[in-house]
Amino acid sequence: MKCRKCGEKASINMRQHRMALCKDHFLEWIPEQTERFIKKYGMFARDEKILVAVSGGKDSLALWDILTRLGYEADGLYLGLGIDGGIEYSAESQRLTEEFARARNLKLHVIDIEKEYGHSIPVFSEISFRGKDKPCSVCGLTKRHEMNRIARDLGYDVLATGHNLDDEAAVLFGNTLQWSADYLLRQGPVLESKEGLARKVKPLCRFYEREMTAYSIMRGIEYIYEECPFAEGATQIFYKETLNQLESARPGVKLTFYLRFLEAKQSGDLFIQKDEKPPQLHPCERCGQPTSAPNLCSFCRMLEKADAS
Ligand code: SF4
Ligand code: ZN
Ligand code: ZN
């Protein structure tokens, strides 16, 4: 297999694009494409301040690396969730993230949930669900709340996450199986800002997971290989595996699935339409972030419950 650009030996073959590239050209191609997606979907402008949510995994560190290479002003936010799972998951991912930032002289904000709110994510979850459920819903709620809080308090225009195509296709697959109209209408590379909520963007949403792995390795990025111990057995992983089976029989099917969805949504052809008014948002009495609940947002209700227990 030869590189399409220079004819040298290729390092990666992307069957969905019918294109193979050598290491140097692949490492050029990824930021070029990212820049194209940033413009195409109107993610952010050159003069906007970007906060990248970094977890220590390959996707978010690769995203931070790419945005920096492209010359954007991008700082990192690491949330310490207090997850151990026998592999010191949080401690190790924090170490790798801090190391990444230090080596490149980048600004990293670190928020430790336990120090900030008195309990780690697994403990919050234990209190909320009495250990009956995985901590993922509490974790997701906390991450959304904290990312938005930091973006707002520190004056960032936009919040960028490292979701790749495999993540997005799996979410889309799940939402389609359930015909979750609300979620389908909200899914996309950009979630516009509204009353007190920062704009959210996913600049890597058109890259396959294997491309992000290849990019991270070729760039020498040290990332945490292990998944969060709670991720195991998650429905999303099952959807990813199912889509990978389809992909090996039909190269490109994942990308087409996602892109056709975005096109249909943009042209208004998606037959799910909602004309009711979106819920009215008002500031939470405790933290001031927008919520549709009567007094406290769901995060602050969780805190109250935990404080009372
Ligand atoms: Fe949080 Fe881990 Fe669940 Fe992801 S898998 S939402 S990091 S608890
Ligand atoms: Zn080449
Ligand atoms: Zn609140």
Side-chain angles (χ1 to χ4, degrees), residues 41-60:
Y41 299 112
M43 293 187 183
F44 40 78
R46 281 273 155 201
D47 56 355
E48 287 188 294
K49 268 180 80 187
I50 306 158
L51 185 64
V52 185
V54 276
S55 66
K58 63 182 184 321
D59 303 293
S60 53

Side-chain angles (χ1 to χ4, degrees), residues 37 58 84 171-172 187:
F37 306 149
K58 63 182 184 321
D84 177 6
V171 169
L172 177 60
Q187 195 183 349

Side-chain angles (χ1 to χ4, degrees), residues 81 83 89 121 135-136 139-140 143 228 230-231:
L81 307 169
I83 294 173
Y89 175 75
I121 294 294
C136 297
C139 184
K143 285 195 272 199
C228 167
F230 295 112

Side-chain angles (χ1 to χ4, degrees), residues 145 284 287 297 300:
H145 186 274
C284 161
C287 71
C297 73
C300 291

Side-chain angles (χ1 to χ4, degrees), residues 83-93 224-229:
I83 294 173
D84 177 6
I87 53 167
E88 299 207 4
Y89 175 75
S90 286
E92 183 60 4
S93 56
I224 183 151
Y225 294 114
E226 285 87 9
E227 292 255 22
C228 167

Side-chain angles (χ1 to χ4, degrees), residues 173-301:
F173 192 57
N175 288 341
T176 308
L177 287 179
Q178 307 275 347
W179 290 119
S180 313
D182 281 346
Y183 287 115
L184 284 168
L185 288 171
R186 245 181 294 150
Q187 195 183 349
V190 179
L191 198 58
E192 280 304 337
S193 65
K194 56 178 180 193
E195 315 152 62
L197 290 172
R199 187 186 328 138
K200 291 191 184 125
V201 299
K202 300 169 184 169
L204 306 183
C205 67
R206 288 176 60 159
F207 294 119
Y208 279 38
E209 181 152 349
R210 64 184 281 269
E211 290 158 16
M212 294 329 297
T213 308
Y215 180 85
S216 303
I217 293 170
M218 289 182 199
R219 286 281 293 163
I221 296 173
E222 269 203 73
Y223 60 90
I224 183 151
Y225 294 114
E226 285 87 9
E227 292 255 22
C228 167
F230 295 112
E232 203 175 307
T235 322
Q236 237 220 344
I237 294 187
F238 173 65
Y239 290 157
K240 278 188 180 177
E241 287 165 1
T242 309
L243 287 166
N244 282 341
Q245 282 184 17
L246 290 171
E247 181 75 25
S248 55
R250 298 270 162 101
V253 73
K254 267 192 287 202
L255 186 60
T256 310
F257 179 50
Y258 183 61
L259 293 185
R260 292 280 181 276
F261 160 73
L262 293 184
E263 283 165 18
K265 208 172 109 168
Q266 210 199 0
S267 64
D269 285 349
L270 203 66
F271 62 86
I272 297 168
Q273 297 296 356
K274 283 219 149 178
D275 46 18
E276 339 151 357
K277 287 209 176 85
Q280 284 293 311
L281 298 180
H282 56 87
C284 161
E285 286 174 6
R286 182 163 165 168
C287 71
Q289 289 209 42
T291 175
S292 55
N295 315 92
L296 296 182
C297 73
S298 12
F299 180 76
C300 291
R301 262 183 288 140

Side-chain angles (χ1 to χ4, degrees), residues 29 33 38 42 44 56 81 105 112 118 130 140 157 204 215 231 265 275:
W29 181 80
Q33 291 295 304
I38 291 170
F44 40 78
L81 307 169
N105 214 5
D112 187 301
R130 290 189 212 90
D157 302 294
L204 306 183
Y215 180 85
K265 208 172 109 168
D275 46 18

